[in-house]
Amino acid sequence: MKKSALTVLSAAALLFTTACTPDDSVELAVQQSVQQFEAAGVEGMENDALFAAEAASASMLEVQLGGAALEKAVSPEVKEIAQEMVQANQQMLNELQEVAMQRNFVLPSTLGSRHHELYEEITAKSGIAFDLAYIDRITKQHNELIERYEDMAENGQVMELKQYASKQLPLLRQHQQTVEELEETIDNI
């Protein structure tokens, strides 16, 4: 009885998620990963699959926003940070793709809907408004990422994904500090 109730609740949650975001590349990647794991008899992989998909989308967002900042930013400091973010996040994405291939995770090939909306919102701005929006977004992004990577490093199921998250944390913390210092400098101008 417990198992059938859990199955019904899981199916309802999956239908609700699918109905709410049918075009969300992150959700689709998570569903495909979970289906593959379940077909192989591996249960409880939702959190790992979600982390992998969200991390891929977040890295793609930082690469794309960094590219936009290299073109649109007016501050040389913002352009410098953008260049660093592009390189670091492309490397993070490449490493995540290697883990995904080894462990059969499906990663999105495009930004998730939430990240796409953020990209559109920020790139719609120009001049100093763009610089401020970009720095604000990557500051918030790094705060969110550090929390999520810490959780995965501690609670992940797949060892390679846990190791990936642990390995990226020092870089994420360094980026967070750099961005917060720039944000403080901008706020004091």
Side-chain angles (χ1 to χ4, degrees):
M1 181 67 177
K2 268 187 174 178
K3 187 172 183 173
S4 63
L6 184 60
T7 303
V8 169
L9 287 174
S10 296
L14 185 61
L15 285 174
F16 177 75
T17 302
T18 305
C20 291
T21 56
D23 295 329
D24 186 1
S25 63
V26 169
E27 288 298 325
L28 292 173
V30 170
Q31 290 172 13
Q32 290 172 349
S33 289
V34 169
Q35 287 170 354
Q36 285 180 183
F37 286 117
E38 288 177 351
V42 180
E43 298 290 327
M45 296 299 290
E46 291 84 3
N47 187 47
D48 285 32
L50 182 59
F51 169 79
E54 287 177 340
S57 181
S59 286
M60 286 187 282
L61 174 64
E62 293 218 16
V63 168
Q64 291 178 22
L65 279 177
L70 289 171
E71 292 179 20
K72 297 180 79 164
V74 294
S75 164
E77 294 86 359
V78 171
K79 287 186 179 204
E80 184 180 322
I81 281 186
Q83 182 63 46
E84 185 177 327
M85 294 298 159
V86 168
Q87 291 171 345
N89 280 280
Q90 186 60 59
Q91 180 64 35
M92 288 173 66
L93 184 57
N94 292 344
E95 291 178 24
L96 180 58
Q97 288 169 336
E98 287 178 26
V99 171
M101 283 181 20
Q102 290 171 357
R103 296 307 307 256
N104 296 319
F105 284 99
V106 175
L107 299 179
S109 58
T110 60
L111 294 175
S113 60
R114 183 177 75 98
H115 289 141
H116 179 73
E117 289 171 14
L118 290 169
Y119 177 82
E120 293 294 322
E121 178 185 321
I122 294 166
T123 57
K125 300 178 185 322
S126 60
I128 193 68
F130 172 86
D131 288 21
L132 294 171
Y134 173 73
I135 293 300
D136 181 61
R137 179 66 251 163
I138 61 173
T139 300
K140 289 176 183 171
Q141 177 96 351
H142 278 83
N143 289 334
E144 293 168 7
L145 288 174
I146 288 170
E147 187 175 303
R148 187 66 170 112
Y149 274 64
E150 286 173 340
D151 176 64
M152 181 51 53
E154 188 173 319
N155 301 312
Q157 298 297 311
V158 174
M159 184 56 65
E160 292 86 348
L161 208 52
K162 289 177 72 158
Q163 290 171 339
Y164 165 81
S166 292
K167 178 183 175 191
Q168 303 308 326
L169 277 167
L171 179 63
L172 289 171
R173 289 184 183 117
Q174 176 190 353
H175 284 167
Q176 178 187 36
Q177 181 179 354
T178 302
V179 172
E180 285 176 350
E181 288 169 2
L182 179 58
E183 188 175 44
E184 192 175 305
T185 300
I186 290 172
D187 287 345
N188 290 329
I189 293 176

